[in-house]
Amino acid sequence: MSPNATHLPKPGAKTARDLMTPGAHCVGHDEPVLEAARRMAELGVGALPIRDADGRLIGMITDRDIVVRVLVPGKDPATTPAGELAGGEAVTVGPDDHAEKILRTMAAHKVRRLPVLDGHRLVGMVAQADVARALPHPEVGALLNALSSD
């Protein structure tokens, strides 16, 4: 699948494995934010997982993070490492987690994208839109409300 192709969940999708976009790309913790931004633009995505030197997921970097935490304060995106934006423990789901659990995780952590890990291996990304397409309308409304509220 090309990086910019629209991913649609499988009919009757109920697990992260069914919902996710497989083959997610990462950025290394020591790579510059500018490289992360270039990769996001190339892939047509708004977020990338950040991995450490051992390949473990340590956080996420979003296009909003780049603007708010790098550009606005006047930091140089060519020298600021992506790992500087990895805050706390990464929120993830497993490939066999059901849509309802994914929904609860997104709402509890107020995130719109979740890396899908099989053990320590990144196998895909599941986005708010992926879950929305798989859930009944009332549950979708609850997710959108939870993610939009302060």
Side-chain angles (χ1 to χ4, degrees), residues 4-143:
N4 294 320
T6 302
H7 167 76
L8 294 174
K10 297 174 187 172
K14 292 294 179 189
T15 66
R17 186 182 321 278
D18 299 325
L19 298 169
M20 71 184 189
T21 299
H25 296 264
C26 291
V27 63
H29 73 288
D30 56 348
E31 290 184 74
V33 168
L34 184 59
E35 179 56 32
R38 284 185 182 132
R39 198 165 301 152
M40 283 185 217
E42 177 183 296
L43 296 168
V45 299
L48 287 173
I50 303 169
R51 59 173 168 65
D52 68 11
D54 295 326
R56 285 179 283 202
L57 190 70
I58 60 169
M60 294 283 289
I61 183 172
T62 66
D63 46 10
R64 185 175 194 283
D65 290 333
I66 293 169
V67 171
V68 173
R69 296 177 59 197
V70 178
L71 299 178
V72 171
K75 294 180 181 178
D76 182 359
T79 60
T80 303
E84 191 174 299
L85 303 180
E89 188 175 333
V91 180
T92 65
V93 292
D96 297 319
D97 289 345
H98 288 274
E100 292 78 12
K101 179 179 181 186
I102 297 167
L103 173 103
R104 287 192 307 271
T105 303
M106 285 179 167
H109 295 277
K110 297 208 183 268
V111 296
R112 290 176 168 82
R113 304 164 191 95
L114 290 169
V116 181
L117 295 183
D118 191 355
H120 290 290
R121 190 172 61 93
L122 179 68
V123 294
M125 293 286 290
V126 64
Q128 172 184 329
D130 299 328
V131 179
R133 284 189 284 268
L135 293 174
H137 293 294
E139 292 181 38
V140 172
L143 171 63

